[in-house]
Amino acid sequence: MDTIVYKVSLEEISQNVIDEAREILKSGGLVAFPTETVYGLGGDALNNQASEKIYAAKGRPSDNPLIVHIAEVEAVYELAENVSDKARMLMEAFWPGPLTIIFDKKNVVPYETTGGLDTVAVRMPSHPVAMKLIKDSGVYIAAPSANTSGRPSPTVAEHVIEDLDGKIEMILDGGPVGIGIESTIVDVTGTVPTILRPGFITKHMLEDIVGEVAIDRALVEVDKNLKPKAPGMKYTHYAPKGELTIVESKDKKGVTEDVIARINELAKSKMNEGYKVGIISTTETHDRYNADYVINIGNRTNDITVSARLYGVLREFDSLAVEYIYSEGFENDDLGYAIMNRLLKAAGHRVVIV
Ligand code: TXA
Ligand code: MG
């Protein structure tokens, strides 16, 4: 299959391009598009064959449910049952935006889309291209991140091309995304809203709207027997090809001289053994490191500069065929918590404390 790639200007989204994308979606084909979090791989959420194509293109296990993207709040009532007051308050506060909400599903949503679950994940993205695509196509768009299963999520169209060229009908290139890590997922089917995947919308932000919010225990405890409530969280996602280790100071506050020294020591010893070594640095510490490749991930005082580049940096180390990667840790609060969640998964929880 030839994959058509169109550059889309955010100021003036071409109607012809959107019309072409609509035809593809309506006939059961797949279109990758930018959202404010990561690029999504879209298909008609109510067409079970489109969902099956999504799994095939990604090489993704079909028990891992998809998120349904909508452009108007009314859509929730067509897709979901038992929409609670708390859910309504969260929709009101955070949509359009990087929050996915889990509801009981209605029959119109095929089990192919929900990975066999009786619940459905719904999100209203704020990205103008995503919005226009959903509105104009008149379909609800099931969209996982547009990467091959197991690779870091795509934050620019080039990442999507790398993974899915020749496997899907169209890619809409809207440039780099803003947030860079996937949406926060909150389950509102129980009494206490529960975070299944941390993201840009933090626990504090949710609590300000609905009071008590819990975190899925499988996120907090590194216990292989605990089954995460978001099936996707159990897979070794986000993994770079090289072996990633995070070096943190024992008080977990910022980066200490000991952290810098240990990262340099670990890098040097692997280079002496003949391996290709990379270091993930920050603007504040970039000049302090020595390795084959030292890549600055962003500014420690501004978390979103780090989240925006995280997956791109992991992919860069892949393309450089780096075998060992060492990274500083980040403060474990708010967006930093989501960054550490992804970084720890990418590292297979390999952490050195100094
Ligand atoms: O930011 C995002 O959410 C991006 C963009 C494209 O919107 N999408 C995304 O989709 O990250 P995906 O498929 O890569 O991740 C969806 C996650 C998976 O961990 C999946 O298991 C979980 O959501 N999920 C989906 N439906 C669920 C459900 N009914 N119950 C629990 N978890 C669910
Ligand atoms: Mg994904």
Side-chain angles (χ1 to χ4, degrees):
M1 180 190 307
D2 280 335
T3 303
I4 317 165
V5 183
Y6 283 127
K7 281 214 189 310
V8 186
S9 147
L10 305 192
E11 287 73 43
E12 206 191 327
I13 301 168
S14 155
Q15 191 64 46
N16 289 343
V17 168
I18 297 294
D19 288 348
E20 213 176 303
R22 178 190 61 213
E23 291 315 309
I24 292 170
L25 290 170
K26 286 224 178 249
S27 58
L30 305 185
V31 176
F33 60 97
T35 81
E36 70 278 25
T37 56
V38 299
Y39 273 73
L41 172 57
D44 180 349
L46 303 187
N47 175 343
N48 58 341
Q49 288 172 3
S51 293
E52 278 168 357
K53 279 190 202 162
I54 291 176
Y55 291 112
K58 278 179 67 82
R60 169 171 174 154
S62 59
D63 68 339
N64 190 358
L66 308 174
I67 295 173
V68 180
H69 295 66
I70 60 171
E72 274 143 18
V73 167
E74 295 77 67
V76 167
Y77 301 93
E78 284 178 43
L79 300 165
E81 209 92 74
N82 309 323
V83 179
S84 66
D85 288 343
K86 282 181 184 169
R88 263 188 270 273
M89 287 154 80
L90 292 174
M91 284 151 52
E92 166 98 352
F94 299 111
W95 280 1
L99 181 71
T100 295
I101 304 179
I102 309 287
F103 300 98
D104 293 325
K105 86 171 188 72
K106 279 197 173 156
N107 285 337
V108 286
V109 186
Y111 282 114
E112 284 80 358
T113 299
T114 66
L117 297 178
D118 289 314
T119 52
V120 59
V122 184
R123 160 162 129 80
M124 188 192 292
S126 63
H127 194 287
V129 173
M131 266 287 185
K132 188 163 172 61
L133 181 64
I134 304 163
K135 271 198 184 131
D136 287 16
S137 65
V139 300
Y140 305 133
I141 301 185
S145 49
N147 51 290
T148 299
S149 191
R151 293 213 74 200
S153 294
T155 51
V156 291
E158 287 74 17
H159 298 159
V160 183
I161 296 169
E162 238 171 68
D163 286 9
L164 298 177
D165 191 28
K167 297 182 177 165
I168 62 176
E169 279 80 2
M170 183 183 277
I171 298 170
L172 301 179
D173 178 355
V177 300
I179 295 172
I181 58 178
E182 306 83 349
S183 61
T184 305
I185 302 179
V186 64
D187 183 348
V188 294
T189 59
T191 38
V192 180
T194 303
I195 295 174
L196 308 189
R197 178 174 72 181
F200 183 81
I201 306 292
T202 65
K203 183 166 186 275
H204 291 134
M205 290 160 77
L206 297 171
E207 281 168 343
D208 280 346
I209 306 296
V210 291
E212 187 187 359
V213 170
I215 296 186
D216 186 11
R217 276 184 56 214
L219 288 181
V220 181
E221 294 162 40
V222 192
D223 175 350
K224 295 227 160 57
N225 299 316
L226 271 184
K227 204 168 141 228
K229 290 210 182 100
M233 297 298 279
K234 73 176 177 250
Y235 297 105
T236 19
H237 259 83
Y238 322 119
K241 292 174 187 150
E243 184 185 287
L244 170 63
T245 303
I246 303 167
V247 181
E248 284 188 308
S249 88
K250 53 181 172 302
D251 65 8
K252 302 227 166 172
K253 283 263 179 307
V255 167
T256 60
E257 286 300 319
D258 289 347
V259 167
I260 296 171
R262 180 64 70 87
I263 288 179
N264 277 325
E265 231 173 81
L266 289 165
K268 190 170 174 198
S269 103
K270 284 296 175 198
M271 286 191 291
N272 286 343
E273 291 173 36
Y275 293 109
K276 228 187 226 190
V277 176
I279 291 174
I280 298 179
S281 67
T282 49
T283 307
E284 289 84 348
T285 57
H286 187 68
D287 295 340
R288 307 285 311 278
Y289 292 118
N290 289 297
D292 297 311
Y293 303 99
V294 182
I295 302 182
N296 181 352
I297 195 171
N299 197 315
R300 297 192 71 85
T301 58
N302 189 359
D303 281 344
I304 197 163
T305 63
V306 175
S307 66
R309 278 178 50 72
L310 175 61
Y311 291 142
V313 168
L314 296 179
R315 279 180 181 259
E316 213 172 318
F317 282 125
D318 279 354
S319 62
L320 295 165
V322 164
E323 295 162 286
Y324 287 91
I325 308 163
Y326 299 97
S327 177
E328 300 171 1
F330 294 88
E331 242 173 283
N332 216 354
D333 58 2
D334 296 330
L335 183 55
Y337 176 62
I339 292 170
M340 282 309 286
N341 168 266
R342 307 307 196 276
L343 202 56
L344 282 163
K345 283 177 66 119
H349 289 270
R350 223 177 338 264
V351 180
V352 172
I353 310 272
V354 296

